Amino acid sequence: MASSPLDLAPVVPVVVIEDAADAVPLARALVAGGLPAIEVTLRTPAALDAIRAIADGVPDAVVGAGTVITPAQVEESVAAGARFLVSPGWTDVLLEAMRASGVPFLPGVSTTSEVVALLERGVREMKFFPAEAAGGTAYLKSLAGPLPQARFCPTGGIGPGNAPAYLALPNVGCVGGTWMLPPDALAARDWDRVEGLAREAAGLRVR
């Protein structure tokens, strides 16, 4: 895999899986559509089993764990096969656990001070969350001047309409989103539709 989830595809699908049996066909649809990096959020009891199933059953997928907020979750996620970690925010305790995991990680930030604090700790790649609520493209554009060494995966309120504006920024490597995973398609297990939406998302890169 690439050294960073920021470099795998323009969009990282943020997946909430209720039934681990859906994990493999869902991941196959996303990979077939051109989105190999898949963030499975630890918001459901099925999440770790889903990560394990994707890691074992979809070799072309690069599965990661999202909503990681404790060192225990870091350990469990990596043991399940997660190849990257994403958190909505960070503390020094969580940061050290992610660093010790040996896999790439994206700690979440929403303020300039948090970005500076991570840069001070040697971390240059971050999740910007909640992107739209925290200032959107205007905020990230403002950060690029004084803090050009920081790179971001903005997530939160991003869809096909505004994703290109984020992807056009020099400090954005990719965006995270859920729009290629509409609830009705997931409920119907309409993997062909998911694949088509993933293909459209994969074509959003503007550079």
Side-chain angles (χ1 to χ4, degrees):
M1 64 172 285
S3 59
S4 164
L6 269 66
D7 299 320
L8 291 169
V11 180
V12 176
V14 180
V15 182
V16 179
I17 295 181
E18 302 289 348
D19 184 348
D22 292 337
V24 166
L26 174 57
R28 284 178 177 156
L30 292 170
V31 170
L35 300 180
I38 301 168
E39 177 188 334
V40 177
T41 67
L42 301 183
R43 300 182 195 176
T44 68
L48 289 172
D49 286 338
I51 290 170
R52 194 172 291 110
I54 294 169
D56 291 342
V58 191
D60 291 334
V62 179
V63 64
T67 324
V68 175
I69 57 173
T70 68
Q73 288 177 328
V74 170
E75 189 174 329
E76 292 166 349
S77 298
V78 174
R83 292 168 64 183
F84 65 93
L85 304 168
V86 184
S87 67
W90 67 277
T91 65
D92 278 318
V93 170
L94 179 60
L95 186 66
E96 286 313 306
M98 291 194 293
R99 199 193 300 272
S101 72
V103 301
F105 56 92
L106 298 174
V109 297
S110 61
T111 68
T112 306
S113 293
E114 289 172 317
V115 176
V116 172
L118 283 176
L119 291 174
E120 193 175 77
R121 288 159 174 79
V123 178
R124 295 188 175 192
E125 297 187 340
M126 312 165 196
K127 171 178 177 171
F128 180 59
F129 175 83
E132 283 290 282
T137 55
Y139 194 95
L140 286 172
K141 189 174 183 180
S142 297
L143 289 181
L147 303 170
Q149 64 272 54
R151 294 179 72 218
F152 301 95
C153 174
T155 305
I158 298 176
N162 60 0
Y166 281 95
L167 292 168
L169 298 174
N171 55 352
V172 169
C174 63
V175 299
T178 61
W179 73 87
M180 71 298 301
L181 303 160
D184 57 335
L186 298 186
R189 294 177 168 81
D190 187 349
W191 310 126
D192 287 342
R193 184 177 169 205
V194 170
E195 180 181 336
L197 291 168
R199 186 167 288 109
E200 292 174 10
L204 288 176
R205 188 176 295 285
V206 294
R207 64 181 193 280

